[in-house]
Amino acid sequence: MVYLKRKLDLFLEAWKQDRNRKPLIVKGPRQVGKTESIRKFGIENYENVIEINFVEEPKYKMMIADGYRTDDLIKNISRMDPSKHFVEGKTLLFFDELQELPEIATALKFFYQDGRYDVICSGSMLGIHYGRIESNSVGYKVDYEMHSLDFEEFLWGKGYLGPEVEEILGHMKSLVPFSQVELSVYGGLFLDYCILGGMPAVVREYIERGTFEDSLSMQRQLLLDYEEDVRKYAQGVDQGRIINIFRQIPLQLARDNKKFQISKVASGARFKDYRGCIEWMEDSGIIHVCRCMKYPELPLKGNFDEAKYKIYFADSGLLVAMLDEEAQDDLRANRNLGVYKGALYENVVGEALSKSGYGLYYYKKEDSTLEEDFFVRTAHDLIPVEVKSTNGRAKSLRTLIREEKYEDIHYGIKLTGANIGYSDHIYTFPYFCTFLLKRYLKERDMT
């Protein structure tokens, strides 16, 4: 089976080199590759790996019966399975599906103070338990948030392990257009990535077969798995309402006004009735919420209207799997990403920005046509980002840059299917460059 190189691999290598390393918690949505990457790292770097999965082996929940100190835990694990050996300085303890036993986070303090064993925890629904985990282990752990593959990891999977990413960044910094070959190759790969999404199982099947065969059925199974997670883990909120919102996302993204409206979810639905449902999905890593700014200025945090937002899927493959049959045929046969009025373009860009570490914000001026898809920031600038399904004029973008009342905005970025360009303080980049925007802006800000 093909192993897909992940950015977590690089993080784990650096973590292992830190002599003062703390226990590590890897969180992220289900089936994004956490277990596979951690297991591979353990096998390659430790003489002894002890893996405990609290879903597959619930008996190990009893390991905390005598408390959380390292010696007590080791004794109880050994009693339940005497074949598990603990070699000091050479053992990795891997606790998987931590959401089934979030209390184990209390033990991380003792593992760190003890220092004889390295510890990694992971789980697919940690976001909804993170308050408890954080309070029990603050100061004694390191966090890493894993996502499905971004476009850079997708390129690695396709064999582009050389200078290609740096070359793409070089084009962005120099504003030298891509050659027709580069534009065709990277644009084609990006289209494939958009259709597949970044779930490792789907991408691996595509790489091994060289076709989209079975990708749709795998994506639809993931949808069923996510709905099953809602039924299993959504405690204290209405599960049916969460699923109603989940199924409504593609329909609302297909509208010209992509703002999510609770009133459209069900007859008589009110915002207060659905309070907590969207937050639950966001915490679980299923969706990204893009919040409407009160005014396009810095700072971003706190500068938004809680009642106005868009919802994007954390992995665009989920959106693809929910398209109707006609749109599916158009997308796969004609590679038309313009289906659903550009919703797929926006979702892919929102996903890429979020995977880069950005929060998602947009702006819609009341009683005006002024609207901007996304905003990112540097130390000094607020940068509007417009996603164009065609390489047309960016009227709102030009207004935000030109008018002096938007004093934090000095230039903007337009993402299209066209080549690199620059005009009137607007930098135009192909969609496939989005994963590099944060690096580009950081290095641009330093010059």
Side-chain angles (χ1 to χ4, degrees):
M1 184 174 71
V2 173
Y3 177 76
L4 299 173
K5 178 185 174 183
R6 305 301 302 276
K7 291 179 178 177
L8 175 59
D9 301 341
L10 306 176
F11 182 89
L12 289 171
E13 290 172 10
W15 175 78
K16 183 74 165 64
Q17 293 302 314
D18 183 358
R19 293 187 177 182
N20 193 37
R21 58 187 169 275
K22 297 177 180 178
L24 172 64
I25 296 180
V26 180
K27 59 179 181 174
R30 65 144 60 234
Q31 298 186 37
V32 296
K34 301 181 295 297
T35 299
E36 183 182 21
S37 292
I38 295 167
R39 187 179 290 152
K40 179 176 182 291
F41 165 75
I43 292 170
E44 292 179 350
N45 289 275
Y46 292 85
E47 181 180 301
N48 195 36
V49 178
I50 294 175
E51 180 178 339
I52 293 174
N53 184 307
F54 293 118
V55 168
E56 296 176 0
E57 302 172 293
K59 67 178 183 180
Y60 284 104
K61 293 179 183 180
M62 289 294 294
M63 63 188 280
I64 61 175
D66 298 318
Y68 297 96
R69 294 190 178 278
T70 301
D71 284 338
D72 293 328
L73 294 174
I74 298 305
K75 286 177 183 175
N76 282 337
I77 293 171
S78 297
R79 287 184 183 121
M80 285 184 271
D81 184 354
S83 69
K84 286 181 165 51
H85 301 295
F86 294 83
V87 183
E88 295 183 14
K90 297 180 180 180
T91 297
L92 173 68
L93 268 165
F94 174 26
F95 297 121
D96 203 2
E97 303 293 0
L98 186 65
Q99 75 277 359
E100 294 291 328
L101 189 67
E103 293 81 6
I104 196 66
T106 304
L108 300 184
K109 171 183 177 180
F110 299 106
F111 276 116
Y112 175 65
Q113 293 174 337
D114 182 276
R116 287 176 290 166
Y117 312 106
D118 288 348
V119 179
I120 299 178
C121 305
S122 79
S124 57
M125 305 295 289
L126 295 187
I128 58 177
H129 295 289
Y130 214 65
R132 291 162 64 193
I133 292 171
E134 178 69 18
S135 64
N136 291 339
S137 58
V138 63
Y140 296 99
K141 53 122 176 85
V142 177
D143 295 312
Y144 183 92
E145 188 160 2
M146 192 175 188
H147 311 276
S148 60
L149 282 82
D150 67 10
F151 186 54
E152 183 171 10
E153 291 171 316
F154 181 80
L155 289 175
W156 293 345
K158 288 290 290 181
Y160 294 90
L161 295 163
E164 293 84 8
V165 170
E166 295 303 320
E167 288 172 358
I168 293 172
L169 181 62
H171 278 283
M172 296 171 70
K173 292 162 66 175
S174 66
L175 295 178
V176 173
F178 292 98
S179 70
Q180 285 305 306
V181 171
E182 290 173 317
L183 207 60
S184 174
V185 170
Y186 296 134
L189 287 166
F190 187 73
L191 282 172
D192 287 354
Y193 172 72
C194 292
I195 293 169
L196 293 161
M199 288 298 189
V202 179
V203 174
R204 182 180 292 112
E205 190 78 3
Y206 153 82
I207 289 172
E208 291 179 345
R209 293 192 178 203
T211 69
F212 293 115
E213 186 180 352
D214 289 338
S215 63
L216 180 57
S217 62
M218 295 176 74
Q219 290 167 331
R220 287 178 170 165
Q221 182 58 50
L222 283 167
L223 291 176
L224 296 175
D225 291 342
Y226 276 122
E227 291 196 6
E228 181 60 32
D229 278 346
V230 172
R231 297 184 179 95
K232 184 175 182 180
Y233 293 109
Q235 307 298 325
V237 288
D238 191 304
Q239 299 174 0
R241 286 174 176 166
I242 292 176
I243 292 173
N244 285 345
I245 291 173
F246 185 67
R247 292 174 179 174
Q248 268 281 317
I249 296 171
L251 301 176
Q252 300 218 21
L253 284 177
R255 295 160 47 222
D256 288 322
N257 174 16
K258 293 179 172 57
K259 185 182 79 170
F260 195 88
Q261 294 177 281
I262 291 293
S263 61
K264 304 289 186 183
V265 173
S267 177
R270 297 174 298 176
F271 179 75
K272 67 175 185 178
D273 296 329
Y274 282 77
R275 189 178 300 277
C277 295
I278 291 170
E279 290 82 353
W280 189 93
M281 285 195 291
E282 187 176 24
D283 288 343
S284 68
I286 297 173
I287 63 168
H288 297 309
V289 177
C290 184
R291 294 172 168 85
C292 184
M293 300 169 66
K294 294 177 181 176
Y295 190 78
E297 65 182 0
L298 295 173
L300 289 172
K301 288 187 176 179
N303 176 24
F304 59 87
D305 186 334
E306 291 185 358
K308 296 178 182 177
Y309 48 85
K310 300 178 185 178
I311 299 179
Y312 299 110
F313 287 107
D315 186 88
S316 296
L318 297 178
L319 174 57
V320 168
M322 295 177 81
L323 299 176
D324 55 49
E325 295 298 333
E326 292 76 17
Q328 286 282 352
D329 292 341
D330 192 15
L331 179 65
R332 292 170 189 275
N334 303 319
R335 299 167 72 80
N336 175 21
L337 265 69
V339 296
Y340 277 37
K341 298 182 179 177
L344 189 50
Y345 285 117
E346 275 194 38
N347 202 103
V348 169
V349 169
E351 177 187 348
L353 294 176
S354 186
K355 286 177 177 178
S356 298
Y358 286 118
L360 300 184
Y361 299 90
Y362 77 102
Y363 180 67
K364 174 71 171 73
K365 187 176 182 180
E366 293 293 340
D367 303 320
S368 170
T369 58
L370 182 62
E371 182 173 9
E372 198 53 75
D373 299 319
F374 298 103
F375 287 84
V376 296
R377 67 162 300 172
T378 63
H380 309 291
D381 294 316
L382 179 65
I383 302 132
V385 178
E386 188 149 327
V387 183
K388 300 290 287 186
S389 55
T390 60
N391 192 22
R393 291 178 60 82
K395 183 180 177 182
S396 291
L397 193 54
R398 294 177 189 278
T399 299
L400 289 166
I401 296 167
R402 183 177 63 245
E403 295 191 8
E404 292 183 0
K405 62 182 176 181
Y406 306 117
E407 57 186 32
D408 292 328
I409 299 172
H410 304 105
Y411 63 95
I413 291 171
K414 183 171 68 171
L415 299 168
T416 76
N419 212 326
I420 283 176
Y422 176 78
S423 177
D424 299 327
H425 303 286
I426 296 174
Y427 296 86
T428 300
F429 298 122
Y431 302 115
F432 63 77
C433 295
T434 309
F435 77 99
L436 282 168
L437 271 187
K438 191 163 192 175
R439 276 190 63 189
Y440 165 76
L441 291 171
K442 182 178 180 181
E443 294 184 23
R444 183 186 187 280
D445 213 34
M446 293 171 61
T447 57

